[in-house]
Amino acid sequence: EVQLVESGGGLVQPGRSLKLSCAASGFTFSNYGMHWIRQAPTKGLEWVASISPSGGSTYYRDSVKGRFTISRDNAKSTLYLQMDSLRSEDTATYYCATAEGAYWGQGVMVTVSS
Amino acid sequence: DVVMTQTPVSLPVSLGGQASISCRSSQSLVHSNGNTYLHWYLQKPGQSPQLLIYRVSNRFSGVPDRFSGSGSGTDFTLKISRVEPEDLGDYYCLQSTHFPYTFGAGTKLELK
């Protein structure tokens, strides 16, 4: 059974950093591109970043480029999202998802507030 | 960026009835490899989104055949026949042909 379990969320002040993790199991993690997608409270879904199976290629939405870094450790079957210089508009539930969004984690809440 | 225009915003339906949701993209979603990366998701209240249809018309594992997807180029449709209570929630289309990937704004399927 495919499982994606996010962790690392919480309340953080503007300008500070947070690192999200997504532990994957039930499939060959190193074979699949992975994504981070977020959803602000009561809003729709927004793609944040993607990474290729090897980790050699990464893609970001403009509003997080230069502040967020997606990475992966295939030996640990874990996806990461390093979030720096956080802003109030980054407040959202963050989901990790497999290629084509076939499987999603349960989501982790990130609140950026002073 | 590719703009995904999803309609309607709200769709009241009767149980056992039919529903149709449209997604139009601001540019063609045909990838250079010939595939069209347009997918449909359902998000039930308090849950993560779940994949229903991938690449326009392919039902994901375990998805009932009451759900069907169609379309090409820039114009896509999700149809739900014989609506059941577990079908209620927010539906989203997603294009993953072009970066940045973009979602439609969502359609709330609710009881009439």
Side-chain angles (χ1 to χ4, degrees):
Chain A
E1 178 196 3
V2 172
Q3 278 204 313
L4 298 170
V5 180
E6 300 99 335
S7 60
L11 173 62
V12 61
Q13 292 179 327
R16 305 297 291 263
S17 299
L18 211 56
K19 186 171 185 176
L20 305 183
S21 299
C22 169
S25 60
F27 66 106
T28 306
F29 181 73
S30 59
N31 286 353
Y32 293 91
M34 295 291 295
H35 315 288
W36 287 100
I37 292 156
R38 68 186 179 185
Q39 187 170 34
T42 74
K43 301 295 186 185
L45 299 167
E46 181 175 81
W47 172 80
V48 175
S50 296
I51 189 167
S52 63
S54 67
S57 296
T58 56
Y59 310 87
Y60 301 91
R61 67 179 303 103
D62 283 349
S63 61
V64 308
K65 215 173 282 186
R67 300 189 299 121
F68 289 13
T69 304
I70 188 172
S71 62
R72 63 192 298 158
D73 184 335
N74 284 343
K76 294 183 178 178
S77 295
T78 302
L79 176 72
Y80 302 101
L81 186 67
Q82 175 68 45
M83 304 185 293
D84 298 324
S85 303
L86 281 161
R87 305 168 180 167
S88 58
E89 55 264 35
D90 296 319
T91 293
T93 296
Y94 285 73
Y95 297 98
C96 63
T98 59
E100 295 186 320
Y103 298 97
W104 296 60
Q106 83 286 356
V108 62
M109 185 68 202
V110 172
T111 302
V112 184
S113 174
S114 52
Chain B
D1 298 2
V2 177
V3 176
M4 302 299 293
T5 302
Q6 187 176 338
T7 56
V9 172
S10 173
L11 184 52
V13 295
S14 301
L15 295 179
Q18 287 198 14
S20 180
I21 301 170
S22 168
C23 226
R24 288 189 170 147
S25 56
S26 59
Q27 59 185 274
S28 174
L29 298 185
V30 180
H31 194 275
S32 56
N33 64 14
N35 289 325
T36 300
Y37 294 96
L38 185 284
H39 322 293
W40 291 96
Y41 302 87
L42 164 61
Q43 187 176 31
K44 299 179 185 179
Q47 295 187 18
S48 304
Q50 57 189 84
L51 178 64
L52 298 173
I53 302 286
Y54 63 97
R55 280 180 253 150
V56 181
S57 59
N58 299 280
R59 266 189 304 278
F60 187 54
S61 175
V63 175
D65 60 6
R66 300 182 289 100
F67 292 88
S68 63
S70 63
S72 63
T74 62
D75 200 351
F76 305 91
T77 302
L78 174 72
K79 287 193 163 84
I80 312 162
S81 60
R82 306 183 305 279
V83 170
E84 298 190 4
E86 60 263 32
D87 301 338
L88 303 180
D90 296 325
Y91 288 78
Y92 296 92
C93 60
L94 164 69
Q95 71 80 19
S96 60
T97 296
H98 306 284
F99 282 110
Y101 295 170
T102 45
F103 286 89
T107 296
K108 181 176 288 294
L109 188 71
E110 51 195 2
L111 282 180
K112 202 176 278 188

